[in-house]
Amino acid sequence: MSSIKIADDVYWVGVKDPNLRIFDIIMPTKYGTTYNAYLVKGEKIALIDTVKKGFTDEYFANIEEITPLDTIDYLIVNHTEPDHSGSMVELLKRSPNIQVVCASTAKIFVQNILNSGNNLTGLKDNAFFELGGKKLTIKLTPYMHWPDTMMEYLVEDGILFSGDGFAAHYSGDSLFSDELPNDIDLDREALYYFDTIMRPFTGHIRKNLPKLDELDIKMVAPSHGPLFRKNATAYINKYKEWSVDKAEGKNQVAIFYATSYGNTQKIAERVADNLNKAGFLTPVHDVTACDKMKARELIEESKAIIIGTPTFNGDAVKPVWEFVNLFSTVDTRGKKAATFGSYGWSGEGTKLVSDRLTGMKIKVLPEPFRAKLVPSDKDMAEVDRFSGEIVNFINEG
Ligand code: FEO
């Protein structure tokens, strides 16, 4: 596909990658994806984003259908992830006078890509960017999904260039969402994209979305997949739904454990009982039997997550590590954690899990609780004391 006019003097100049089957190492993409880039012509000419390295020639050819590369005045960088910045070095080699414009937080990343700080302008939130006959309002949207992320709103045409926000991985014949084949479930694809890319940042999304409320948006032009011109704000509203704070108003502490012989389970159930008596909802789950989607919901809904692991061969057990890996797939800011477990002779598992959670910037109760093999009455009294520590730890803010 070559360039496509999307409004007067506004063009899609992106590229398609229909054969991509894994995005960013972890995300299967059965419909491939697109790397959307846009060109806006006022008295000055701005390009919005570049494309992934490997597609540079096609991208340049699309731009040159509209204007020669050396007539471009600005490159606007919505964030610096390489699927959108991969052609930046070559673009600036071909047209060295282009001024690169980005969020002020993105300047260091751009410098790290270009290995130069020349012709680089950082913008603040709500900055106006005037092209002469076309004006862009900048909306900084940090952590949607990179720290340097921004969007811009083209005032004359009501187009929101939303970067990775409101995107979906889809590459087909159509450019707009209202032209998709009937068998494409865009809601599902957009939710899958949100779930994989945006869900760890729901707290930031809640802060960023109100910035868009004041804009009269007629079209949303994201950096992947279809553009939205009918019911343009539908996915902005869906993002509001999907990023709701699930822990708000819910006094919940979730307890997850793995157990071979029932000893770590015995501690888990006592902790749950104690916390329940202290006023918390306390769902208890064996990690080997808990669906990953359910586990992620429970992490999001809970103020704290208490994890029990036995120790095998000097380590926590694999299902517990798989559970801990889920923490980086959701928003865990402000969550607390504690660990416990039964062990035979060495008992490193609890501490290793605590250390990993601490490394993920989760506040962890410093001392795990451990019991040797079958917890005795004395051990269970210690579990009661440990439970009290958890309550104090949660309540201390
Ligand atoms: Fe599509 Fe965050 O790159």
Side-chain angles (χ1 to χ4, degrees), residues 60-187:
F60 287 170
N62 288 347
I63 295 167
E64 286 184 319
E65 288 177 7
I66 316 297
T67 192
L69 289 183
D70 62 6
T71 64
I72 294 164
D73 298 285
Y74 303 108
L75 170 65
I76 297 174
V77 176
N78 276 336
H79 77 309
T80 44
E81 194 167 9
D83 52 335
H84 309 293
S85 62
S87 306
M88 189 163 29
V89 169
E90 188 59 30
L91 177 67
L92 293 178
K93 204 186 282 179
R94 304 264 189 109
S95 189
N97 293 326
I98 290 178
Q99 183 84 25
V100 179
V101 177
C102 59
S104 44
T105 44
K107 282 176 76 174
I108 184 67
F109 300 132
V110 174
Q111 284 166 356
N112 289 338
I113 291 169
L114 299 177
N115 292 316
S116 155
N118 297 336
N119 294 338
L120 180 57
T121 303
L123 295 178
K124 293 199 162 63
D125 205 16
N126 293 316
F128 279 109
F129 194 71
E130 183 62 68
L131 297 176
K134 295 279 189 192
K135 185 163 59 233
L136 294 156
T137 305
I138 303 301
K139 295 289 176 188
L140 299 191
T141 52
Y143 292 97
M144 271 185 81
H145 63 127
W146 274 32
D148 57 336
T149 305
M150 70 178 196
M151 302 181 183
E152 54 284 324
Y153 174 72
L154 181 56
V155 175
E156 288 75 9
D157 303 280
I159 302 175
L160 179 72
F161 298 100
S162 61
D164 278 351
F166 323 118
H169 285 311
Y170 174 78
S171 173
D173 293 336
S174 45
L175 184 67
F176 289 97
S177 63
D178 53 275
E179 300 170 333
L180 289 177
N182 289 336
D183 62 338
I184 300 299
D185 185 344
L186 187 56
D187 280 0

Side-chain angles (χ1 to χ4, degrees), residues 3-13 37-42 46 48 66 133-134 136 153-161 175-176 218-221 227-229:
S3 64
I4 298 171
K5 183 176 176 176
I6 62 171
D8 284 345
D9 291 322
V10 186
Y11 301 86
W12 178 89
V13 290
Y38 303 94
L39 188 138
V40 182
K41 281 178 84 176
I48 297 174
I66 316 297
K134 295 279 189 192
L136 294 156
Y153 174 72
L154 181 56
V155 175
E156 288 75 9
D157 303 280
I159 302 175
L160 179 72
F161 298 100
L175 184 67
F176 289 97
K218 297 186 172 71
M219 186 187 296
V220 172
L227 285 63
F228 304 92
R229 60 185 171 187

Side-chain angles (χ1 to χ4, degrees), residues 17-53:
D17 190 0
N19 299 319
L20 184 81
R21 285 297 169 267
I22 299 282
F23 179 80
D24 267 6
I25 304 169
I26 56 160
M27 184 180 184
T29 45
K30 73 173 172 177
Y31 300 114
T33 195
T34 61
Y35 310 108
N36 296 338
Y38 303 94
L39 188 138
V40 182
K41 281 178 84 176
E43 287 163 28
K44 303 263 187 181
I45 299 176
L47 256 181
I48 297 174
D49 284 329
T50 75
V51 299
K52 190 176 174 181
K53 203 171 176 176

Side-chain angles (χ1 to χ4, degrees), residues 320-372:
V320 168
W321 286 126
E322 286 170 352
F323 170 71
V324 171
N325 284 340
L326 299 178
F327 277 63
S328 64
T329 72
V330 293
D331 187 356
T332 54
R333 285 181 318 147
K335 308 254 181 237
K336 294 186 176 179
T339 63
F340 64 90
S342 159
Y343 67 103
W345 65 94
S346 57
E348 296 92 338
T350 49
K351 179 75 166 53
L352 289 170
V353 171
S354 286
D355 287 349
R356 171 120 160 84
L357 292 168
T358 302
M360 296 165 97
K361 298 192 170 57
I362 290 157
K363 285 187 188 168
V364 184
L365 187 67
E367 276 306 311
F369 173 78
R370 301 183 309 165
K372 277 200 161 190

